[in-house]
Amino acid sequence: NYLAIMATEHPKEKEDVKKEQKTSKKPKFNKEKATFGVAHIYASFNDTFVHITDLSGKETIAKVTGGMKVKADRDESSPYAAMLAAQDVAAICKERGITALHIRLRATGGNDSKTPGPGAQSALRALARQQIRIGRIEDVTPIPTDSTRAKGGRRG
């Protein structure tokens, strides 16, 4: 029964169906044509930096902080300020032709907090929402193997 239906179907109709299926798919991301940069996101509890460099890390393409986007000092590290900073950086990246980013996320580290500040996640989300492809995400917070004496005195 099935073979009879297939035999009666015209071969050009099959090609039309195949073309429709191919055009309806989302365009695939071509890694060879993507121009990668590195987004260094430094999120402390006082400010959030979104700094884009080339792959070597030597050439700065864009650098915007949360403090450049809001007026109040207490809002510099807020997720909203980080989102605005990331949107500005994404616009500059598109102008310069960078279509994909590797992310290097950093907290204060050392003797201070090893958890990223409140702006880290929103900065990363804002970059992803601006049609910039995200490659590798890496945590580069400096964690000491043995540290200098922590603040707070003997009793904390």
PDB file of all heavy atoms in Angstrom, residues 53-87:
ATOM      1  N   THR A  53      37.908  41.843  25.323  1.00  0.00           N
ATOM      2  CA  THR A  53      39.221  41.895  24.680  1.00  0.00           C
ATOM      3  C   THR A  53      39.230  40.922  23.504  1.00  0.00           C
ATOM      4  O   THR A  53      38.284  40.163  23.305  1.00  0.00           O
ATOM      5  CB  THR A  53      40.344  41.492  25.657  1.00  0.00           C
ATOM      6  OG1 THR A  53      40.147  40.128  26.034  1.00  0.00           O
ATOM      7  CG2 THR A  53      40.356  42.364  26.889  1.00  0.00           C
ATOM      8  N   ASP A  54      40.327  40.959  22.747  1.00  0.00           N
ATOM      9  CA  ASP A  54      40.515  39.938  21.711  1.00  0.00           C
ATOM     10  C   ASP A  54      40.896  38.630  22.410  1.00  0.00           C
ATOM     11  O   ASP A  54      40.989  38.580  23.635  1.00  0.00           O
ATOM     12  CB  ASP A  54      41.568  40.383  20.692  1.00  0.00           C
ATOM     13  CG  ASP A  54      42.931  40.605  21.317  1.00  0.00           C
ATOM     14  OD1 ASP A  54      43.012  40.653  22.554  1.00  0.00           O
ATOM     15  OD2 ASP A  54      43.914  40.730  20.575  1.00  0.00           O
ATOM     16  N   LEU A  55      41.130  37.574  21.641  1.00  0.00           N
ATOM     17  CA  LEU A  55      41.378  36.264  22.248  1.00  0.00           C
ATOM     18  C   LEU A  55      42.658  36.227  23.076  1.00  0.00           C
ATOM     19  O   LEU A  55      42.732  35.489  24.054  1.00  0.00           O
ATOM     20  CB  LEU A  55      41.429  35.182  21.165  1.00  0.00           C
ATOM     21  CG  LEU A  55      40.071  34.759  20.623  1.00  0.00           C
ATOM     22  CD1 LEU A  55      40.242  33.788  19.480  1.00  0.00           C
ATOM     23  CD2 LEU A  55      39.215  34.146  21.711  1.00  0.00           C
ATOM     24  N   SER A  56      43.650  37.040  22.720  1.00  0.00           N
ATOM     25  CA  SER A  56      44.885  37.047  23.497  1.00  0.00           C
ATOM     26  C   SER A  56      44.714  37.784  24.816  1.00  0.00           C
ATOM     27  O   SER A  56      45.453  37.558  25.763  1.00  0.00           O
ATOM     28  CB  SER A  56      46.007  37.702  22.693  1.00  0.00           C
ATOM     29  OG  SER A  56      45.754  39.082  22.554  1.00  0.00           O
ATOM     30  N   GLY A  57      43.727  38.685  24.896  1.00  0.00           N
ATOM     31  CA  GLY A  57      43.511  39.457  26.117  1.00  0.00           C
ATOM     32  C   GLY A  57      44.289  40.751  26.159  1.00  0.00           C
ATOM     33  O   GLY A  57      44.186  41.514  27.113  1.00  0.00           O
ATOM     34  N   LYS A  58      45.071  41.033  25.128  1.00  0.00           N
ATOM     35  CA  LYS A  58      45.907  42.236  25.131  1.00  0.00           C
ATOM     36  C   LYS A  58      45.182  43.460  24.593  1.00  0.00           C
ATOM     37  O   LYS A  58      45.398  44.566  25.065  1.00  0.00           O
ATOM     38  CB  LYS A  58      47.175  41.992  24.310  1.00  0.00           C
ATOM     39  CG  LYS A  58      48.132  41.030  24.972  1.00  0.00           C
ATOM     40  CD  LYS A  58      49.402  40.903  24.186  1.00  0.00           C
ATOM     41  CE  LYS A  58      50.373  39.966  24.882  1.00  0.00           C
ATOM     42  NZ  LYS A  58      51.615  39.799  24.140  1.00  0.00           N
ATOM     43  N   GLU A  59      44.350  43.258  23.580  1.00  0.00           N
ATOM     44  CA  GLU A  59      43.701  44.392  22.925  1.00  0.00           C
ATOM     45  C   GLU A  59      42.302  44.592  23.489  1.00  0.00           C
ATOM     46  O   GLU A  59      41.449  43.711  23.393  1.00  0.00           O
ATOM     47  CB  GLU A  59      43.628  44.131  21.425  1.00  0.00           C
ATOM     48  CG  GLU A  59      43.208  45.322  20.604  1.00  0.00           C
ATOM     49  CD  GLU A  59      44.266  46.406  20.556  1.00  0.00           C
ATOM     50  OE1 GLU A  59      45.464  46.091  20.552  1.00  0.00           O
ATOM     51  OE2 GLU A  59      43.875  47.590  20.518  1.00  0.00           O
ATOM     52  N   THR A  60      42.037  45.755  24.102  1.00  0.00           N
ATOM     53  CA  THR A  60      40.710  46.047  24.645  1.00  0.00           C
ATOM     54  C   THR A  60      39.789  46.524  23.530  1.00  0.00           C
ATOM     55  O   THR A  60      40.144  47.406  22.759  1.00  0.00           O
ATOM     56  CB  THR A  60      40.809  47.137  25.727  1.00  0.00           C
ATOM     57  OG1 THR A  60      41.585  46.638  26.812  1.00  0.00           O
ATOM     58  CG2 THR A  60      39.435  47.516  26.239  1.00  0.00           C
ATOM     59  N   ILE A  61      38.603  45.927  23.479  1.00  0.00           N
ATOM     60  CA  ILE A  61      37.610  46.325  22.482  1.00  0.00           C
ATOM     61  C   ILE A  61      36.567  47.232  23.119  1.00  0.00           C
ATOM     62  O   ILE A  61      36.190  48.242  22.559  1.00  0.00           O
ATOM     63  CB  ILE A  61      36.965  45.073  21.856  1.00  0.00           C
ATOM     64  CG1 ILE A  61      38.042  44.336  21.057  1.00  0.00           C
ATOM     65  CG2 ILE A  61      35.785  45.424  20.983  1.00  0.00           C
ATOM     66  CD1 ILE A  61      37.813  42.891  20.878  1.00  0.00           C
ATOM     67  N   ALA A  62      36.123  46.882  24.321  1.00  0.00           N
ATOM     68  CA  ALA A  62      35.132  47.704  25.025  1.00  0.00           C
ATOM     69  C   ALA A  62      35.243  47.437  26.511  1.00  0.00           C
ATOM     70  O   ALA A  62      35.549  46.317  26.930  1.00  0.00           O
ATOM     71  CB  ALA A  62      33.729  47.367  24.542  1.00  0.00           C
ATOM     72  N   LYS A  63      34.994  48.477  27.300  1.00  0.00           N
ATOM     73  CA  LYS A  63      34.999  48.312  28.753  1.00  0.00           C
ATOM     74  C   LYS A  63      33.968  49.264  29.341  1.00  0.00           C
ATOM     75  O   LYS A  63      34.077  50.474  29.171  1.00  0.00           O
ATOM     76  CB  LYS A  63      36.384  48.625  29.314  1.00  0.00           C
ATOM     77  CG  LYS A  63      36.487  48.422  30.807  1.00  0.00           C
ATOM     78  CD  LYS A  63      37.888  48.701  31.280  1.00  0.00           C
ATOM     79  CE  LYS A  63      38.006  48.508  32.774  1.00  0.00           C
ATOM     80  NZ  LYS A  63      39.356  48.803  33.250  1.00  0.00           N
ATOM     81  N   VAL A  64      32.969  48.698  29.986  1.00  0.00           N
ATOM     82  CA  VAL A  64      31.911  49.492  30.608  1.00  0.00           C
ATOM     83  C   VAL A  64      31.695  48.942  32.015  1.00  0.00           C
ATOM     84  O   VAL A  64      31.715  47.736  32.221  1.00  0.00           O
ATOM     85  CB  VAL A  64      30.592  49.411  29.789  1.00  0.00           C
ATOM     86  CG1 VAL A  64      29.524  50.294  30.400  1.00  0.00           C
ATOM     87  CG2 VAL A  64      30.826  49.825  28.350  1.00  0.00           C
ATOM     88  N   THR A  65      31.490  49.832  32.969  1.00  0.00           N
ATOM     89  CA  THR A  65      31.249  49.400  34.342  1.00  0.00           C
ATOM     90  C   THR A  65      29.840  49.785  34.755  1.00  0.00           C
ATOM     91  O   THR A  65      29.188  50.612  34.114  1.00  0.00           O
ATOM     92  CB  THR A  65      32.248  50.061  35.304  1.00  0.00           C
ATOM     93  OG1 THR A  65      31.944  51.456  35.389  1.00  0.00           O
ATOM     94  CG2 THR A  65      33.675  49.870  34.846  1.00  0.00           C
ATOM     95  N   GLY A  66      29.393  49.187  35.850  1.00  0.00           N
ATOM     96  CA  GLY A  66      28.079  49.528  36.383  1.00  0.00           C
ATOM     97  C   GLY A  66      28.028  50.971  36.853  1.00  0.00           C
ATOM     98  O   GLY A  66      27.003  51.637  36.755  1.00  0.00           O
ATOM     99  N   GLY A  67      29.172  51.472  37.367  1.00  0.00           N
ATOM    100  CA  GLY A  67      29.240  52.850  37.836  1.00  0.00           C
ATOM    101  C   GLY A  67      29.108  53.875  36.722  1.00  0.00           C
ATOM    102  O   GLY A  67      28.736  55.027  36.965  1.00  0.00           O
ATOM    103  N   MET A  68      29.394  53.487  35.493  1.00  0.00           N
ATOM    104  CA  MET A  68      29.242  54.401  34.359  1.00  0.00           C
ATOM    105  C   MET A  68      27.772  54.521  33.941  1.00  0.00           C
ATOM    106  O   MET A  68      27.421  55.431  33.198  1.00  0.00           O
ATOM    107  CB  MET A  68      30.057  53.896  33.163  1.00  0.00           C
ATOM    108  CG  MET A  68      31.562  53.965  33.386  1.00  0.00           C
ATOM    109  SD  MET A  68      32.504  52.965  32.236  1.00  0.00           S
ATOM    110  CE  MET A  68      32.241  53.819  30.709  1.00  0.00           C
ATOM    111  N   LYS A  69      26.931  53.619  34.388  1.00  0.00           N
ATOM    112  CA  LYS A  69      25.546  53.554  33.933  1.00  0.00           C
ATOM    113  C   LYS A  69      24.540  54.122  34.933  1.00  0.00           C
ATOM    114  O   LYS A  69      23.444  54.496  34.567  1.00  0.00           O
ATOM    115  CB  LYS A  69      25.163  52.090  33.626  1.00  0.00           C
ATOM    116  CG  LYS A  69      26.004  51.473  32.541  1.00  0.00           C
ATOM    117  CD  LYS A  69      25.471  51.767  31.163  1.00  0.00           C
ATOM    118  CE  LYS A  69      26.122  52.906  30.477  1.00  0.00           C
ATOM    119  NZ  LYS A  69      25.497  53.451  29.338  1.00  0.00           N
ATOM    120  N   VAL A  70      24.878  54.149  36.223  1.00  0.00           N
ATOM    121  CA  VAL A  70      23.948  54.655  37.240  1.00  0.00           C
ATOM    122  C   VAL A  70      24.634  55.757  38.043  1.00  0.00           C
ATOM    123  O   VAL A  70      25.855  55.845  38.086  1.00  0.00           O
ATOM    124  CB  VAL A  70      23.473  53.520  38.194  1.00  0.00           C
ATOM    125  CG1 VAL A  70      22.586  52.541  37.465  1.00  0.00           C
ATOM    126  CG2 VAL A  70      24.636  52.813  38.823  1.00  0.00           C
ATOM    127  N   LYS A  71      23.827  56.582  38.666  1.00  0.00           N
ATOM    128  CA  LYS A  71      24.389  57.729  39.387  1.00  0.00           C
ATOM    129  C   LYS A  71      24.695  57.411  40.845  1.00  0.00           C
ATOM    130  O   LYS A  71      25.689  57.867  41.384  1.00  0.00           O
ATOM    131  CB  LYS A  71      23.415  58.908  39.321  1.00  0.00           C
ATOM    132  CG  LYS A  71      23.334  59.488  37.924  1.00  0.00           C
ATOM    133  CD  LYS A  71      22.774  60.876  37.928  1.00  0.00           C
ATOM    134  CE  LYS A  71      22.877  61.474  36.525  1.00  0.00           C
ATOM    135  NZ  LYS A  71      22.113  62.694  36.379  1.00  0.00           N
ATOM    136  N   ALA A  72      23.835  56.629  41.504  1.00  0.00           N
ATOM    137  CA  ALA A  72      24.026  56.365  42.934  1.00  0.00           C
ATOM    138  C   ALA A  72      25.139  55.338  43.140  1.00  0.00           C
ATOM    139  O   ALA A  72      25.225  54.341  42.426  1.00  0.00           O
ATOM    140  CB  ALA A  72      22.727  55.845  43.542  1.00  0.00           C
ATOM    141  N   ASP A  73      25.996  55.598  44.131  1.00  0.00           N
ATOM    142  CA  ASP A  73      27.115  54.698  44.423  1.00  0.00           C
ATOM    143  C   ASP A  73      26.633  53.306  44.818  1.00  0.00           C
ATOM    144  O   ASP A  73      27.256  52.303  44.475  1.00  0.00           O
ATOM    145  CB  ASP A  73      27.977  55.269  45.550  1.00  0.00           C
ATOM    146  CG  ASP A  73      28.750  56.497  45.105  1.00  0.00           C
ATOM    147  OD1 ASP A  73      28.833  56.719  43.882  1.00  0.00           O
ATOM    148  OD2 ASP A  73      29.237  57.230  45.978  1.00  0.00           O
ATOM    149  N   ARG A  74      25.522  53.249  45.542  1.00  0.00           N
ATOM    150  CA  ARG A  74      25.050  51.941  46.041  1.00  0.00           C
ATOM    151  C   ARG A  74      24.508  51.064  44.913  1.00  0.00           C
ATOM    152  O   ARG A  74      24.355  49.869  45.088  1.00  0.00           O
ATOM    153  CB  ARG A  74      23.985  52.139  47.114  1.00  0.00           C
ATOM    154  CG  ARG A  74      22.703  52.736  46.593  1.00  0.00           C
ATOM    155  CD  ARG A  74      21.646  52.853  47.671  1.00  0.00           C
ATOM    156  NE  ARG A  74      20.458  53.492  47.123  1.00  0.00           N
ATOM    157  CZ  ARG A  74      20.240  54.795  47.092  1.00  0.00           C
ATOM    158  NH1 ARG A  74      21.150  55.623  47.587  1.00  0.00           N
ATOM    159  NH2 ARG A  74      19.142  55.298  46.566  1.00  0.00           N
ATOM    160  N   ASP A  75      24.205  51.667  43.737  1.00  0.00           N
ATOM    161  CA  ASP A  75      23.630  50.909  42.624  1.00  0.00           C
ATOM    162  C   ASP A  75      24.672  50.416  41.629  1.00  0.00           C
ATOM    163  O   ASP A  75      24.326  49.752  40.650  1.00  0.00           O
ATOM    164  CB  ASP A  75      22.597  51.764  41.878  1.00  0.00           C
ATOM    165  CG  ASP A  75      21.383  52.067  42.737  1.00  0.00           C
ATOM    166  OD1 ASP A  75      21.100  51.274  43.647  1.00  0.00           O
ATOM    167  OD2 ASP A  75      20.732  53.099  42.482  1.00  0.00           O
ATOM    168  N   GLU A  76      25.958  50.729  41.851  1.00  0.00           N
ATOM    169  CA  GLU A  76      26.993  50.358  40.888  1.00  0.00           C
ATOM    170  C   GLU A  76      27.069  48.850  40.676  1.00  0.00           C
ATOM    171  O   GLU A  76      27.309  48.386  39.568  1.00  0.00           O
ATOM    172  CB  GLU A  76      28.359  50.873  41.350  1.00  0.00           C
ATOM    173  CG  GLU A  76      28.494  52.376  41.247  1.00  0.00           C
ATOM    174  CD  GLU A  76      29.818  52.880  41.787  1.00  0.00           C
ATOM    175  OE1 GLU A  76      30.657  52.051  42.193  1.00  0.00           O
ATOM    176  OE2 GLU A  76      30.010  54.105  41.804  1.00  0.00           O
ATOM    177  N   SER A  77      26.868  48.078  41.742  1.00  0.00           N
ATOM    178  CA  SER A  77      26.991  46.622  41.637  1.00  0.00           C
ATOM    179  C   SER A  77      25.658  45.939  41.379  1.00  0.00           C
ATOM    180  O   SER A  77      25.592  44.714  41.350  1.00  0.00           O
ATOM    181  CB  SER A  77      27.597  46.059  42.926  1.00  0.00           C
ATOM    182  OG  SER A  77      26.709  46.303  44.006  1.00  0.00           O
ATOM    183  N   SER A  78      24.602  46.712  41.177  1.00  0.00           N
ATOM    184  CA  SER A  78      23.264  46.122  41.040  1.00  0.00           C
ATOM    185  C   SER A  78      23.134  45.358  39.716  1.00  0.00           C
ATOM    186  O   SER A  78      23.835  45.654  38.747  1.00  0.00           O
ATOM    187  CB  SER A  78      22.199  47.219  41.090  1.00  0.00           C
ATOM    188  OG  SER A  78      22.276  48.024  39.935  1.00  0.00           O
ATOM    189  N   PRO A  79      22.230  44.393  39.669  1.00  0.00           N
ATOM    190  CA  PRO A  79      22.009  43.656  38.424  1.00  0.00           C
ATOM    191  C   PRO A  79      21.563  44.567  37.276  1.00  0.00           C
ATOM    192  O   PRO A  79      21.926  44.331  36.128  1.00  0.00           O
ATOM    193  CB  PRO A  79      20.901  42.663  38.794  1.00  0.00           C
ATOM    194  CG  PRO A  79      21.017  42.493  40.258  1.00  0.00           C
ATOM    195  CD  PRO A  79      21.493  43.804  40.781  1.00  0.00           C
ATOM    196  N   TYR A  80      20.808  45.595  37.590  1.00  0.00           N
ATOM    197  CA  TYR A  80      20.332  46.518  36.558  1.00  0.00           C
ATOM    198  C   TYR A  80      21.499  47.257  35.902  1.00  0.00           C
ATOM    199  O   TYR A  80      21.580  47.369  34.683  1.00  0.00           O
ATOM    200  CB  TYR A  80      19.335  47.514  37.171  1.00  0.00           C
ATOM    201  CG  TYR A  80      18.845  48.545  36.193  1.00  0.00           C
ATOM    202  CD1 TYR A  80      18.041  48.192  35.129  1.00  0.00           C
ATOM    203  CD2 TYR A  80      19.184  49.891  36.330  1.00  0.00           C
ATOM    204  CE1 TYR A  80      17.593  49.135  34.215  1.00  0.00           C
ATOM    205  CE2 TYR A  80      18.743  50.841  35.437  1.00  0.00           C
ATOM    206  CZ  TYR A  80      17.937  50.458  34.375  1.00  0.00           C
ATOM    207  OH  TYR A  80      17.504  51.386  33.476  1.00  0.00           O
ATOM    208  N   ALA A  81      22.425  47.751  36.716  1.00  0.00           N
ATOM    209  CA  ALA A  81      23.590  48.460  36.182  1.00  0.00           C
ATOM    210  C   ALA A  81      24.458  47.516  35.351  1.00  0.00           C
ATOM    211  O   ALA A  81      24.965  47.892  34.288  1.00  0.00           O
ATOM    212  CB  ALA A  81      24.409  49.055  37.318  1.00  0.00           C
ATOM    213  N   ALA A  82      24.596  46.278  35.801  1.00  0.00           N
ATOM    214  CA  ALA A  82      25.379  45.287  35.056  1.00  0.00           C
ATOM    215  C   ALA A  82      24.723  44.975  33.721  1.00  0.00           C
ATOM    216  O   ALA A  82      25.407  44.812  32.705  1.00  0.00           O
ATOM    217  CB  ALA A  82      25.529  44.019  35.882  1.00  0.00           C
ATOM    218  N   MET A  83      23.395  44.915  33.708  1.00  0.00           N
ATOM    219  CA  MET A  83      22.663  44.647  32.478  1.00  0.00           C
ATOM    220  C   MET A  83      22.872  45.780  31.474  1.00  0.00           C
ATOM    221  O   MET A  83      23.134  45.543  30.292  1.00  0.00           O
ATOM    222  CB  MET A  83      21.181  44.474  32.782  1.00  0.00           C
ATOM    223  CG  MET A  83      20.336  44.163  31.585  1.00  0.00           C
ATOM    224  SD  MET A  83      18.587  44.197  31.964  1.00  0.00           S
ATOM    225  CE  MET A  83      18.293  45.947  32.111  1.00  0.00           C
ATOM    226  N   LEU A  84      22.787  47.030  31.943  1.00  0.00           N
ATOM    227  CA  LEU A  84      22.999  48.176  31.060  1.00  0.00           C
ATOM    228  C   LEU A  84      24.424  48.187  30.503  1.00  0.00           C
ATOM    229  O   LEU A  84      24.643  48.473  29.324  1.00  0.00           O
ATOM    230  CB  LEU A  84      22.721  49.480  31.808  1.00  0.00           C
ATOM    231  CG  LEU A  84      21.272  49.734  32.244  1.00  0.00           C
ATOM    232  CD1 LEU A  84      21.185  51.038  33.010  1.00  0.00           C
ATOM    233  CD2 LEU A  84      20.347  49.755  31.056  1.00  0.00           C
ATOM    234  N   ALA A  85      25.389  47.865  31.364  1.00  0.00           N
ATOM    235  CA  ALA A  85      26.785  47.825  30.932  1.00  0.00           C
ATOM    236  C   ALA A  85      26.985  46.751  29.866  1.00  0.00           C
ATOM    237  O   ALA A  85      27.648  46.983  28.848  1.00  0.00           O
ATOM    238  CB  ALA A  85      27.693  47.566  32.128  1.00  0.00           C
ATOM    239  N   ALA A  86      26.388  45.588  30.069  1.00  0.00           N
ATOM    240  CA  ALA A  86      26.535  44.490  29.109  1.00  0.00           C
ATOM    241  C   ALA A  86      25.861  44.826  27.779  1.00  0.00           C
ATOM    242  O   ALA A  86      26.362  44.457  26.712  1.00  0.00           O
ATOM    243  CB  ALA A  86      25.952  43.208  29.694  1.00  0.00           C
ATOM    244  N   GLN A  87      24.737  45.535  27.830  1.00  0.00           N
ATOM    245  CA  GLN A  87      24.061  45.931  26.593  1.00  0.00           C
ATOM    246  C   GLN A  87      24.929  46.903  25.790  1.00  0.00           C
ATOM    247  O   GLN A  87      25.021  46.799  24.563  1.00  0.00           O
ATOM    248  CB  GLN A  87      22.701  46.561  26.899  1.00  0.00           C
ATOM    249  CG  GLN A  87      21.656  45.552  27.307  1.00  0.00           C
ATOM    250  CD  GLN A  87      20.375  46.198  27.785  1.00  0.00           C
ATOM    251  OE1 GLN A  87      20.299  47.415  27.971  1.00  0.00           O
ATOM    252  NE2 GLN A  87      19.366  45.379  28.015  1.00  0.00           N
TER     253      GLN A  87
END
